[in-house]
Amino acid sequence: MTQAIQTREIQYTAADGSSLIGYFAAPENSQAVAGVIVAPEWWGRNEYTEQRARELADHGYAALAIDMYGDKRVTTDAKQAYEWMMQTFGDAETIDTRSKAALATLAAQPEVDTTRLAAIGFCYGGKVVLDLARSGADLKAVATFHATLSPKAPAQVGAVKAEILVLHGELDTMVSLDDVASFKDEMFAAQAEHDVIVFEDAKHGFSNPLADERAKANDVDLGYNAEAEQHSLAAMYALLARHLD
């Protein structure tokens, strides 16, 4: 599927005063379409996140690759990424306020149908969109790739409006299968619609073709898996089609 798309950067401000810069991609047409937030890995809003936004636009969605660190800061250094990520954990409301500002910014774009919103996230960004869903955000669907699954606060009954799809690697040493089991328990207790797919022989970062390079440079346990990437993206697009099309 290939169609003409448009892209632009959008500057927005969160309730905590941070100046954030998103990357927006949408089909070139006048009809409002469903909108999807794309939350980045801990590296920041980099080319990989923007690529995923363009792919969503190519599939007929409007997508906003969001900035969680401010001023679209990015890095390829794991220590710097960890520092920036932990800064957003320092105040319990930071992730909440910045993700909600991004969702409001997406919904405010004229290309977006505000009744059809979803969110996807990778690694750290997976936690961002899961916590957004847990907070009761008006989302139809949420998909995560090799995400951090632990909640800021467990989801409550009736709070989660989205169907949640978790895409996880069997060999992920950063998020264990016990963590996956705990997530399932949380979702069942909250009566939230959810599904988990575990990919054999897949490590943390399996969806990113640069994972092996980043692993070697930073001595961290990441690994790209083309088959898991392909199947996880297909599952995500099937989820979006069910709820947004």
Side-chain angles (χ1 to χ4, degrees), residues 37-211:
I37 275 180
V38 184
E41 298 172 292
W42 67 348
W43 311 114
R45 197 215 84 189
N46 56 15
E47 169 58 29
Y48 175 75
T49 328
E50 295 167 7
Q51 171 199 332
R52 295 304 185 197
R54 290 191 298 271
E55 290 169 358
L56 283 159
D58 193 43
H59 279 76
Y61 304 109
L64 182 67
I66 70 175
D67 178 10
M68 289 298 294
Y69 297 152
D71 300 319
K72 65 175 182 182
R73 286 180 291 168
V74 297
T75 186
T76 57
D77 179 78
K79 290 181 180 178
Q80 180 66 80
Y82 179 79
E83 179 183 330
W84 288 344
M85 181 182 72
M86 293 309 294
Q87 286 172 1
T88 69
F89 292 158
D91 183 326
E93 300 306 314
T94 297
I95 289 177
D96 185 65
T97 56
R98 294 183 184 179
S99 62
K100 286 182 176 176
L103 184 61
T105 299
L106 173 68
Q109 303 311 305
E111 297 91 347
V112 175
D113 177 352
T114 60
T115 67
R116 294 183 292 152
L117 300 175
I120 70 169
F122 300 83
C123 182
Y124 161 68
K127 174 179 173 54
V128 169
V129 297
L130 285 174
D131 280 347
L132 189 59
R134 290 173 172 121
S135 75
D138 191 15
L139 297 166
K140 302 289 188 185
V142 166
T144 71
F145 299 75
H146 38 90
T148 301
L149 301 173
S150 56
K152 179 184 75 171
Q156 300 300 304
V157 174
V160 178
K161 300 175 183 177
E163 178 183 349
I164 294 176
L165 173 63
V166 166
L167 303 155
H168 184 75
E170 176 192 26
L171 303 182
D172 193 326
T173 58
M174 299 185 187
V175 183
S176 69
L177 293 175
D178 285 342
D179 294 330
V180 173
S182 295
F183 171 78
K184 289 181 180 179
D185 289 343
E186 177 199 357
M187 291 295 109
F188 280 121
Q191 299 175 16
E193 188 176 5
H194 68 283
D195 191 18
V196 175
I197 301 175
V198 177
F199 297 100
E200 292 183 0
D201 300 323
K203 290 186 173 185
H204 196 81
F206 64 78
S207 73
N208 191 334
L210 295 177

